[in-house]
Amino acid sequence: MAATELKNIFLSASIPLPEREHKYYNTSDVIAIRDSVIALAMSVIPEHKLVWGGHPSITPLINYVCQKLGINIQQHVAIYQSKFFEKFYPLDNNQFENIFQTENLGERNQSLLLMRKTMFNSFQFNAGVFIGGMEGVEEEYNLFKEMQPNAMIIVLESTGGAAKIIYDELLPAEFKNERLVKDYRYMSLFQKILIDKI
């Protein structure tokens, strides 16, 4: 059953690719990324709203959770996509009604920046969760911190990739927690450090 007030949770995540920069792929834990995204979606979607930039490695995982939940989830999810990547949208997008497309500016980085700024200007977020990923997760972390300064930040170091770099090199001490490094029981982790606190 939906809560009276939906809290907005931003997800930044992707699965690092071996053909991209090795600093992301070499530390990434694909199983942990998959399991944590699924656990986050199962924890957030029934009572709050999950918002993400529709990365093709992540949207199918969230669609899987939504199908398993078997409830009307449309008001509990929002996907942002840049039309720059229109030819590469995952088929899973067809399962969601709340897809917001931003303009193709003719150049990848500027188109992505427009999409991210539009997304962060559209909601007041209670928290941002950063999982695995590559340079896009690092870019979203920096922009999210700037545009949503009052939101809680959760960086899953245990998933490796960009999340590990952010946790080790950029994350303020107030957001660090040993459970984010060693605890792979993601359902109970998100309940304790996210759901119980928003």
Side-chain angles (χ1 to χ4, degrees):
M1 178 177 292
T4 303
E5 179 189 1
L6 296 179
K7 303 292 177 62
N8 300 310
I9 310 300
F10 169 65
L11 167 64
S12 178
S14 71
I15 295 175
L17 300 172
E19 61 269 28
R20 302 276 285 275
E21 284 197 55
H22 288 180
K23 68 177 182 178
Y24 303 116
Y25 179 76
N26 288 346
T27 63
S28 66
D29 183 335
V30 174
I31 294 174
I33 293 170
R34 183 198 64 195
D35 288 355
S36 59
V37 169
I38 290 172
L40 179 69
M42 292 187 73
S43 299
V44 170
I45 290 173
E47 297 195 18
H48 302 292
K49 176 174 279 189
L50 189 63
V51 180
W52 72 99
H55 195 280
S57 68
I58 299 304
T59 298
L61 295 174
I62 298 175
N63 181 34
Y64 168 80
V65 171
C66 293
Q67 299 301 320
K68 289 292 183 185
L69 288 173
I71 59 175
N72 183 359
I73 48 82
Q74 297 304 332
Q75 67 172 322
H76 296 266
V77 295
I79 305 174
Y80 282 77
Q81 299 263 211
S82 169
K83 288 183 178 178
F84 183 85
F85 299 102
E86 197 165 12
K87 293 179 181 176
F88 306 103
Y89 287 175
L91 291 175
D92 299 77
N93 278 11
N94 298 331
Q95 301 300 314
F96 298 99
E97 296 173 3
N98 293 325
I99 297 181
F100 303 93
Q101 298 182 80
T102 56
E103 189 178 351
N104 177 358
L105 298 180
E107 194 274 329
R108 179 184 185 278
N109 291 338
Q110 289 304 311
S111 297
L112 275 172
L113 183 60
L114 172 65
M115 185 272 287
R116 288 168 176 152
K117 284 187 172 180
T118 302
M119 178 167 57
F120 295 151
N121 275 324
S122 298
F123 296 93
Q124 180 175 344
F125 287 98
N126 296 81
V129 181
F130 300 84
I131 295 174
M134 299 179 283
E135 67 277 0
V137 170
E138 288 184 284
E139 291 163 8
E140 289 184 345
Y141 169 80
N142 288 321
L143 192 60
F144 184 82
K145 269 191 62 185
E146 177 186 328
M147 297 183 66
Q148 298 280 333
N150 298 319
M152 180 192 321
I153 293 178
I154 297 173
V155 180
L156 284 189
E157 195 271 357
S158 61
T159 60
K164 177 173 175 51
I165 294 171
I166 293 167
Y167 189 95
D168 292 344
E169 301 177 11
L170 302 174
L171 191 66
E174 66 189 277
F175 295 119
K176 293 196 175 187
N177 182 326
E178 274 299 292
R179 292 191 68 180
L180 299 171
V181 179
K182 298 177 178 176
D183 193 345
Y184 291 79
R185 298 167 299 168
Y186 293 119
M187 284 295 292
S188 62
L189 179 63
F190 285 128
Q191 182 65 46
K192 185 71 174 179
I193 67 172
L194 175 63
I195 303 300
D196 289 351
K197 293 185 176 181
I198 59 175

